Amino acid sequence: MTRRVLICQAMLLVGFLAKAQSPDVSNNSTLTIPQIMQGDRFVGFLPSNISWSEDGETIYFSWNPEMDTIRSLYKTDRNGSEPVPVSTEEQKMLRNGNGGYSADRTYKVYSDNGDLFLLNRTTAEEIQLTNTSDRESGPLFAREDQVIVYRSGNDLFSWNRQTGATEQLTNVQSDGPRRSRPDPEYQQWLQEQQMDLFEVLRWREAQSEARSAQREALQPERPSPVYLGGKRLWGMEASDDLRYVTMMMAKSADAKNTRVPNYVTESGYIEDLRSRAKVGSPQTTYEMGIFDRELDTFYRIDPAQLPGIYDKPAYLEEYHTGSEDYVDTFKQAREVTYASPIFNGEGEAILILRSQDNKDRWITLLDPETGELTTLDHQRDDAWIAGPGIGWSFASGTAGWLPDNRTIYYQSEASGFSHLYTVDTETGNKTQLTSGDFEIQSAALSNDGSTFYITASAEGPHEHHFYHLPVGGGELTRITTMPGNHEVDMSPDEEYLAIRYSYSNKPWELYVMPNEAGAEAVRVTESTTDDFNAYDWRDPEIIRFTARDGAEVPARLYRPENPRPNGPAVIFVHGAGYLQNVHRWWSSYYREYMFHNLLVDNGYTVLDIDYRASAGYGRDWRTGIYRHMGGKDLDDQVDGAKYLAEDYDIDPDRIGIYGGSYGGFITLMALFTEPGTFAAGAALRSVTDWAHYNHGYTSNILNTPTMDSIAFARSSPINFADGLDDRLLILHGMIDTNVQFQDVVRLAQRLIELEKDNWEFAVFPVERHGFIEPTSWSDEYKRIFKLFQETLK
C-alpha cells in the first residue's frame, strides 16, 4: 500500500473521529466557530515587522494581501503610496543586521549573516569589511569614529578605518594553563644530583632558557589572557577609548530540566522535547569583570558594595514571627544580574544591576579604573521589580546618557507608575520629567539629544499615543490623534512615522505621517477580508465596577442589543497575568474577541476583566497578586459576576467563566474555591500547581517553594480540587513546553482520586502552549461553546 493511500486513509479516519466527537449545538450567529478560528485566513494577514530604509525613503513590511501560502515583503514610501511586493533581487540587497552609527550618522556599521558591512548613508555606498567562516557581530564605532569594534568568538577586535589594520583587543580563554604535577621527592633528588654532577646538562638547560626568553622577547605584544575558569562568556562591552573592556560571565547551575513527550512525529516514534527547569531549581550565577588594556590587568566588580545587597526579603519574617533571633540581613551578599554597561564618550559607564530575587535594582555609575560603583538610584520592591521601560534581568530598559555626558535618563516606578527621570552623575540630583497616573511605555532620545520620543497612556489607560517631550522636561506634545493604539517606527532622519494602528474592532493597518503635531496620518494598507468585513463587529464598552476592597476594576462589556431578563453571561480571563486586554485596540486575543461576538449573537453578555496583576495600571495593580495568586485576581472575577447580576439583570446561576494559561488557572481556582459562583468553566492550558512552572515568572510572584511554601500552597489549584461542584472542561496541548501537559495529568489523577465526575478532559496531540492548527482552535472552542450552551442557556 502506498504512502499516499495510507495518508488518505488516515485523513479520512481523523475526519470521522472529529465529526463523531465534535460538539453539535445550535448557533444563532452569522459567524461560525470554524470560520473565526481560521485566524489570519479569516481576518486577513495584517502588516507586521515594519522597518525603514537607511535613506528614510522606503518602508518595508511583512504582508499577504493575496492570501498566498506564506507572507511576503512589501514596500511603500514616506508619502504612503500603494504598496508593492519587493522582488527577490531587491531583497538580496537589503541588509537587516544590527549595528551602530557614527556620531554624525553619516555612516552605519552592521553585521549580516556573520559578516561586517560599512554603509555611507549619504551616497548609499556599501563596503563589505569581512567575509569569513567565523561570525562577526555587534559592530560599533569607537575612538571618535576612527575605529570599528566588533566581536568574533570570545574576543573583541578593532578595525582602523584609516589604516585598515585589525587589532585583537582581548584574549579570552576557557581555562588557565595546565599545571604539571610535581615529581615525587626521590625523582627530584635524582634530577638535582644529575645537574650537580654534569656540566653538559647545566649548559643545555641554560641554552634552553635563553632561547625561550629570546623567542618571548620577539613575540608581538598581545593582550594577556583572561581565563573564564569553566564559566561562559555572556557579554562584552568596550569603552569609547578602548582602554576598558567589561566582561560578564555565567556559571551554569546544575538544574534538572524537564522533558515533554511528542507522540505525533514524522519518525513514528515518541520523541522528547527538551524543556525548562522548575521554579526553585538552582540558578545560573553571574559576575562581571573589567580588563584594563592599558595596564594589562583584569579585576572583578564586587556587588557587595551595593546598598541593601545583604537585606532579606520582607516575607521571610512571616516564618519567624515571635522569634527574637531573627535578623533581617543575610551573611552573604545576594546574587545579582548585570545589564550591559552604557559608556559615554569620556570613559564612564552606567551599570544597572538587579538582585537575582528581583527585589532590588541599582542604577550605578561605574568607575572602570577601580571597579567601584556609585549608586545613582536604588529601587526596592518587596514584591518584584518590573514595569514598562524598566527592563528585565539582563536588559537596561530605558536608560542612556544625555549629550552633556554628565546626566543620565531612566524609567522607574518610584511614583507608583513608570515615569521618566534624569539624574546628574556629579551631584546626584534627580528630576522627574513626567508624572501622573499613567505609564510611559517607551522613551528614546532624538538624534540631536534635544527631545524624548515617547509612547504613553497619558490620555487614559486604554489608549497609547506618541508624544514629544523636551529633554529638560515640560509638557507632552501629542503627535498621534486617532483613538486606539499606535506602534510607531520612526524614519532614520526622524521626519516621518510609520505607524501600525488599530482600534477595538478594527485590526492593525499601516499608516504614514510626518513627525509633527497636527499632521494627517495616511492609510497605506487594506488587509481585512471580505468575509471579515461582512460582519458588524462590536466596539465593546469599557466600564469599571467596584471590587470588595473598593478598587475600581476596568473591564470590557459585550451586550446583546435586546438582552432578555435573567439572561446568561460569560466572564473571560485573559492570560499572562501581566497583560492588558481592556483597551481600545485590536486584541492579541482576537479569536476570543470574535468568539465573544458570537456569544453575544446567541444572547450572552460577556465581561472581559483587567483584574489585579494586569498591565497598564501601575505598580500596585501589577503586584496585587504577590504571594497569593488566586487572591485579589480571583476576587475581581467573583465581584464581576456579582456586578453582572446586580447591574445587568444577569441570572447569577447562569454565569460561566473561561480562559487560557493564567486565565485557565483562574478558572480552576474559581470552580475549586468559589463553588456556585460559576455554573461552568473551561480551563485552557492551565497552570494547576505553581511549583511545577518555570522559575523566572513564578519566583517573582511567589518566591520559591522551599522559601515560601505558604504562598505556593494557597496559590495552586490542585490543593483545592476537592471543592469542585460545577461543570469543568479541561483543554490542553500535549506538547506544551511552557505550561506542560503534566500539569493537567496530575490534576486529572487528583480529580479521579477525589471521585469527581463533573469534569471533562480534551487533549490536543500536536499543539503547544499557543495553538497553531485551525482545526485544533475550532475543536477547542466548539467544546467551550457546547459547555456554555448546555449549562447556561
Side-chain angles (χ1 to χ4, degrees), residues 80 125 212 346 450 522:
E125 179 184 3
S212 294
E346 299 176 1
S450 68
V522 176

PDB file of all heavy atoms in Angstrom, residues 80 125 212 346 450 522:
ATOM      1  N   GLY A  80       3.111  57.297   1.544  1.00  0.00           N
ATOM      2  CA  GLY A  80       2.039  56.332   1.668  1.00  0.00           C
ATOM      3  C   GLY A  80       1.507  55.838   0.340  1.00  0.00           C
ATOM      4  O   GLY A  80       0.307  55.537   0.226  1.00  0.00           O
ATOM      5  N   GLU A 125      26.799  54.062  -0.676  1.00  0.00           N
ATOM      6  CA  GLU A 125      27.905  53.153  -0.972  1.00  0.00           C
ATOM      7  C   GLU A 125      28.132  52.218   0.215  1.00  0.00           C
ATOM      8  O   GLU A 125      28.189  52.652   1.359  1.00  0.00           O
ATOM      9  CB  GLU A 125      29.180  53.947  -1.250  1.00  0.00           C
ATOM     10  CG  GLU A 125      30.379  53.062  -1.549  1.00  0.00           C
ATOM     11  CD  GLU A 125      31.657  53.860  -1.726  1.00  0.00           C
ATOM     12  OE1 GLU A 125      31.613  55.100  -1.566  1.00  0.00           O
ATOM     13  OE2 GLU A 125      32.700  53.246  -2.004  1.00  0.00           O
ATOM     14  N   SER A 212      64.186  30.369  24.982  1.00  0.00           N
ATOM     15  CA  SER A 212      62.800  30.673  25.336  1.00  0.00           C
ATOM     16  C   SER A 212      62.619  32.161  25.596  1.00  0.00           C
ATOM     17  O   SER A 212      61.638  32.780  25.151  1.00  0.00           O
ATOM     18  CB  SER A 212      62.377  29.890  26.580  1.00  0.00           C
ATOM     19  OG  SER A 212      62.356  28.508  26.313  1.00  0.00           O
ATOM     20  N   GLU A 346      33.487  59.625  27.597  1.00  0.00           N
ATOM     21  CA  GLU A 346      34.571  60.042  28.482  1.00  0.00           C
ATOM     22  C   GLU A 346      35.034  58.925  29.408  1.00  0.00           C
ATOM     23  O   GLU A 346      35.636  59.188  30.448  1.00  0.00           O
ATOM     24  CB  GLU A 346      34.108  61.259  29.295  1.00  0.00           C
ATOM     25  CG  GLU A 346      33.752  62.455  28.412  1.00  0.00           C
ATOM     26  CD  GLU A 346      33.201  63.631  29.195  1.00  0.00           C
ATOM     27  OE1 GLU A 346      33.111  63.512  30.444  1.00  0.00           O
ATOM     28  OE2 GLU A 346      32.852  64.648  28.581  1.00  0.00           O
ATOM     29  N   SER A 450      17.834  66.618  21.897  1.00  0.00           N
ATOM     30  CA  SER A 450      17.004  67.700  22.429  1.00  0.00           C
ATOM     31  C   SER A 450      15.615  67.257  22.859  1.00  0.00           C
ATOM     32  O   SER A 450      14.939  67.974  23.605  1.00  0.00           O
ATOM     33  CB  SER A 450      16.857  68.806  21.376  1.00  0.00           C
ATOM     34  OG  SER A 450      16.087  68.336  20.267  1.00  0.00           O
ATOM     35  N   VAL A 522      -1.826  58.987   6.877  1.00  0.00           N
ATOM     36  CA  VAL A 522      -2.322  58.429   5.611  1.00  0.00           C
ATOM     37  C   VAL A 522      -2.332  56.911   5.712  1.00  0.00           C
ATOM     38  O   VAL A 522      -1.301  56.290   6.023  1.00  0.00           O
ATOM     39  CB  VAL A 522      -1.435  58.873   4.433  1.00  0.00           C
ATOM     40  CG1 VAL A 522      -1.899  58.213   3.131  1.00  0.00           C
ATOM     41  CG2 VAL A 522      -1.441  60.387   4.314  1.00  0.00           C
TER      42      VAL A 522
END
